[in-house]
Amino acid sequence: MFEQITLPYSVDALEPNIDALTIETHYGKHHKTYTATFNAKVEEAGLTGKTAEEILSNLDSIADPALRTAIKNNGGGYYNHNLYFELFSATPAAAPTGELAAKIDATFGSLDALKEKLTAAATGRFGSGWAWLVAKPDKSLEVVSTANQDNPYSEHMGTPLIALDVWEHAYYLKYKNLRGDYIKAFFNVLDWAKVSAKYDAI
Ligand code: MN3
């Protein structure tokens, strides 16, 4: 049984960057529905007991196309939002540390350059989707983007380290059409200590 993470902050803790009503709706309705549907479809497919990473990495093993699509969409919706909500903090570390900090500098030139690349990927995603920082098996880093609830496991892109949701439901209540302002706010509450820990754990 897959469960939403318990938010490691109160719903208004990320104000004014991410407002309470958006968190309540996004976590309490969108993410909740993805999770419930994913659980039902996993049971229907006989995949109970497997991890979300295993299921999303092996979608080709699901023969029925409609069931495969439902598991891709709702499994992504479940997994992507767990990572998204986990990485925020009201008192975020403003920069990565250790191995990740060195790798970002070596790969992108600087932390600001990485943020610019993620911003470009998130701004350039037409319609609904996500921008990601992923790590390959050799721990090299890459910025990628996916449509809908597709994710780095279902698209075989590596291990996700940062999940930046650019569906309108992530920002429209507060930022309306100004996706760029929301992306700036996202970085204000992204906790680089958590991102660094994820990289260390690979
Ligand atoms: Mn979302």
Side-chain angles (χ1 to χ4, degrees):
M1 188 80 173
F2 296 102
E3 293 185 2
Q4 290 177 267
I5 61 156
T6 302
L7 292 180
Y9 40 79
S10 60
V11 293
D12 61 353
L14 306 179
E15 296 263 12
N17 294 289
I18 313 279
D19 61 292
L21 183 58
T22 294
I23 295 277
E24 283 170 1
T25 312
H26 199 182
Y27 174 83
K29 297 187 187 298
H30 293 274
H31 189 196
K32 184 180 180 182
T33 301
Y34 287 127
T35 303
T37 307
F38 183 44
N39 278 313
K41 296 296 176 181
V42 164
E43 190 175 348
E44 191 181 329
L47 295 171
T48 304
K50 295 197 179 295
T51 67
E53 290 90 335
E54 287 169 342
I55 292 169
L56 290 168
S57 297
N58 296 287
L59 291 169
D60 288 349
S61 69
I62 303 167
D64 181 87
L67 191 54
R68 190 190 316 134
T69 298
I71 287 181
K72 180 181 187 178
N73 290 342
N74 291 283
Y78 157 76
Y79 182 91
N80 299 350
H81 289 95
N82 259 10
L83 179 59
Y84 174 81
F85 288 118
E86 177 193 345
L87 295 178
F88 291 133
S89 169
T91 53
T97 52
E99 197 185 350
L100 180 61
K103 195 70 175 178
I104 286 171
D105 286 347
T107 306
F108 303 102
S110 66
L111 179 60
D112 282 344
L114 166 58
K115 286 184 188 174
E116 281 171 24
K117 200 153 189 181
L118 271 165
T119 299
T123 307
R125 165 52 54 192
F126 185 75
S128 297
W130 295 73
W132 306 89
L133 177 67
V134 301
K136 302 290 184 183
D138 65 359
K139 298 199 83 169
S140 61
L141 298 173
E142 195 176 344
V143 170
V144 295
S145 171
T146 59
N148 305 314
Q149 295 296 351
D150 298 356
N151 87 357
Y153 291 112
S154 68
E155 306 311 302
H156 308 292
M157 291 169 160
T159 302
L161 300 176
I162 293 175
L164 172 44
D165 190 345
V166 289
W167 283 59
E168 284 186 345
H169 67 225
Y171 61 88
Y172 208 85
L173 292 176
K174 179 178 173 75
Y175 293 98
K176 302 297 185 285
N177 59 313
L178 301 177
R179 185 186 283 190
D181 288 357
Y182 154 72
I183 293 167
K184 282 184 199 144
F186 171 91
F187 284 116
N188 289 339
V189 285
L190 176 66
D191 190 348
W192 284 95
K194 295 178 183 173
V195 181
S196 302
K198 291 214 164 286
Y199 189 67
D200 289 342
I202 293 171

